[in-house]
Amino acid sequence: KAGVTQTPRYLIKTRGQQVTLSCSPISGHRSVSWYQQTPGQGLQFLFEYFSETQRNKGNFPGRFSGRQFSNSRSEMNVSTLELGDSALYLCASSLGTDRAVDTQYFGPGTRLTVL
Amino acid sequence: QKEVEQNSGPLSVPEGAIASLNCTYSDRGSQSFFWYRQYSGKSPELIMSIYSNGDKEDGRFTAQLNKASQYVSLLIRDSQPSDSATYLCAVKRMNTGFQKLVFGTGTRLLVSP
């Protein structure tokens, strides 16, 4: 089975711009979760999508948004970029069930640099 | 109090030794526990998962869970320089079905030849 894929792998943007990141989950997985990783804050949960619906959201401003398509692929958008948005953005896919054994698998990440 | 706490390290061990990584969590409703390994500049890779009290072994790795003490650990036997990485402890609480992992800040492990 192919793993989780993320595009693009690297992005350089300037303050005020917006950016869209893409994530394709493992085949058969319906849940996609997004995380932001910075040296100072570690891994922070952004949101989770399941069956095209946002099920849970972390404590991030409204500039961070996402969506999921019917094929379970997900996109994350950040508008009005700030310097502090520079980070590694990770998506993780899972079956999305209630079962304790349901495990998240991470993609390679998108490294965003805001200048 | 942080939801998931880990000693940031670095934890330095010689090659061939046992590395012991520890993690505590605050939410007694937590049901699933995961250890991920992350090399510098790479994404987290699942090493072990554990759901019941006791030990779970997989090759050189053993995960230990004690829900009463709210403690989970990872032992790495016969440590190799290639094990040098940051180890992230993650905890999942099942609530209304959504998936949310809470991560510790990670313990950096250095294995010297």
Side-chain angles (χ1 to χ4, degrees):
Chain A
K1 255 186 190 179
V4 181
T5 59
Q6 290 187 248
T7 56
R9 295 292 311 278
Y10 303 91
L11 266 179
I12 299 176
K13 293 286 187 179
T14 57
R15 281 181 297 173
Q17 287 187 310
Q18 75 167 19
V19 66
T20 299
L21 313 180
S22 180
C23 172
S24 292
I26 292 169
S27 178
H29 284 190
R30 296 170 65 191
S31 170
V32 173
S33 298
W34 288 90
Y35 297 85
Q36 180 196 65
Q37 187 175 36
T38 58
Q41 298 296 320
L43 264 165
Q44 302 285 314
F45 174 78
L46 282 156
F47 30 65
E48 185 226 358
Y49 284 87
F50 179 83
S51 291
E52 302 179 66
T53 301
Q54 187 183 89
R55 284 201 299 193
N56 191 27
K57 190 177 189 303
N59 190 24
F60 277 81
R63 300 184 298 106
F64 292 82
S65 63
R67 59 178 176 168
Q68 187 180 36
F69 303 94
S70 58
N71 62 357
S72 295
R73 189 178 69 86
S74 178
E75 287 183 346
M76 189 192 97
N77 185 76
V78 187
S79 62
T80 319
L81 284 166
E82 300 177 358
L83 295 178
D85 296 334
S86 294
L88 180 65
Y89 289 89
L90 295 157
C91 83
S93 83
S94 71
L95 293 170
T97 68
D98 256 338
R99 300 182 62 207
V101 300
D102 197 352
T103 301
Q104 293 188 21
Y105 298 91
F106 285 86
T110 295
R111 172 74 64 183
L112 172 64
T113 301
V114 182
L115 301 176
Chain B
Q1 182 188 12
K2 290 184 178 178
E3 290 187 68
V4 180
E5 297 207 55
Q6 295 180 256
N7 188 319
S8 61
L11 172 65
S12 295
V13 300
E15 184 175 357
I18 295 176
S20 178
L21 305 165
N22 305 315
C23 172
T24 59
Y25 60 95
S26 60
D27 187 348
R28 286 194 173 273
S30 300
Q31 296 185 341
S32 305
F33 307 87
F34 305 87
W35 284 98
Y36 288 85
R37 176 177 64 196
Q38 187 173 27
Y39 292 110
S40 181
K42 302 295 185 183
S43 65
E45 171 194 13
L46 180 70
I47 297 297
M48 293 281 290
S49 57
I50 187 166
Y51 319 106
S52 305
N53 279 327
D55 295 0
K56 179 182 178 183
E57 186 175 320
D58 184 0
R60 295 187 297 113
F61 299 96
T62 299
Q64 299 174 318
L65 175 61
N66 184 325
K67 289 187 178 180
S69 299
Q70 296 175 248
Y71 175 93
V72 59
S73 66
L74 179 70
L75 300 178
I76 306 175
R77 290 182 299 281
D78 188 25
S79 295
Q80 301 297 308
S82 59
D83 294 325
S84 298
T86 296
Y87 289 80
L88 299 166
C89 172
V91 173
K92 183 169 70 172
R93 177 181 180 175
M94 298 314 299
N95 185 3
T96 69
F98 58 72
Q99 301 274 316
K100 177 184 174 184
L101 285 179
V102 179
F103 284 85
T105 53
T107 297
R108 187 175 169 215
L109 173 65
L110 296 175
V111 182
S112 54

